[in-house]
Amino acid sequence: MRYARASQVSWDKARWPNFRAHEFACKCGGRFCKGEYWHDPDFLDRLQAMRNVLGPLVINSGHRCALWNAAVDGAPRSRHKTIAADISLMGHDRHAVLNAARSAGFNGLGLAQTFLHVDRRSIPATWYYGQKSRNLWKS
């Protein structure tokens, strides 16, 4: 469900104790929206499962309003326009993060140099963000 602002959602702190809605809200800084947020409890449950295994996770990007997605050169059909997350790899073993994402049931996996993109989709997909990313993930 889409909200005009992350502050409008009733956040279940017991269910998702390690995250807050604003982490997943659009980061356009008010240029195009007012912190638009897409709420998906199943998605958040899966992220919390990853957090329970890996420890602290930093969300670089969550939902993006359509104009912000275009401004950051996001794919026209990006899952970020509904709900997806780019998780920072800093402080984590990249393969451990990937394994945790798969175990949590994420099946849209974008392997970048500094982050892992996760989403849920009807047809599973895994991709690299360029040759440097491919080389890092293959090592």
Side-chain angles (χ1 to χ4, degrees):
M1 170 178 282
R2 187 171 59 199
Y3 290 86
R5 295 175 186 209
S7 60
Q8 292 176 321
V9 69
S10 178
W11 193 259
D12 187 338
K13 291 179 184 177
R15 190 170 176 183
W16 309 298
N18 304 107
F19 298 105
R20 298 294 175 262
H22 69 84
E23 293 177 82
F24 304 97
C26 183
K27 296 190 179 3
C28 74
R31 284 175 261 180
F32 307 115
C33 74
K34 295 180 179 179
E36 193 174 276
Y37 170 76
W38 191 278
H39 189 70
D40 182 339
D42 179 64
F43 185 89
L44 295 168
D45 288 343
R46 293 169 191 280
L47 276 177
Q48 185 63 49
M50 287 181 66
R51 167 56 175 84
N52 293 343
V53 170
L54 298 168
L57 296 175
V58 173
I59 306 301
N60 294 338
S61 182
H63 174 75
R64 295 179 192 149
C65 69
L67 292 173
W68 182 242
N69 188 66
V72 298
D73 293 327
R77 296 175 60 188
S78 173
R79 302 289 174 165
H80 283 285
K81 289 167 58 176
T82 52
I83 187 68
D86 292 344
I87 303 168
S88 173
L89 295 173
M90 186 173 288
H92 294 284
D93 175 83
R94 71 183 62 252
H95 298 288
V97 178
L98 178 60
N99 290 337
R102 286 181 173 146
S103 293
F106 289 108
N107 62 357
L109 302 164
L111 291 69
Q113 293 179 58
T114 61
F115 67 89
L116 174 70
H117 169 97
V118 297
D119 67 47
R120 300 269 301 144
R121 52 184 65 210
S122 57
I123 299 172
T126 301
W127 63 94
Y128 298 95
Y129 291 91
Q131 189 60 45
K132 287 183 181 180
S133 294
R134 181 182 303 272
N135 294 342
L136 281 170
W137 284 92
K138 295 289 183 180
S139 60

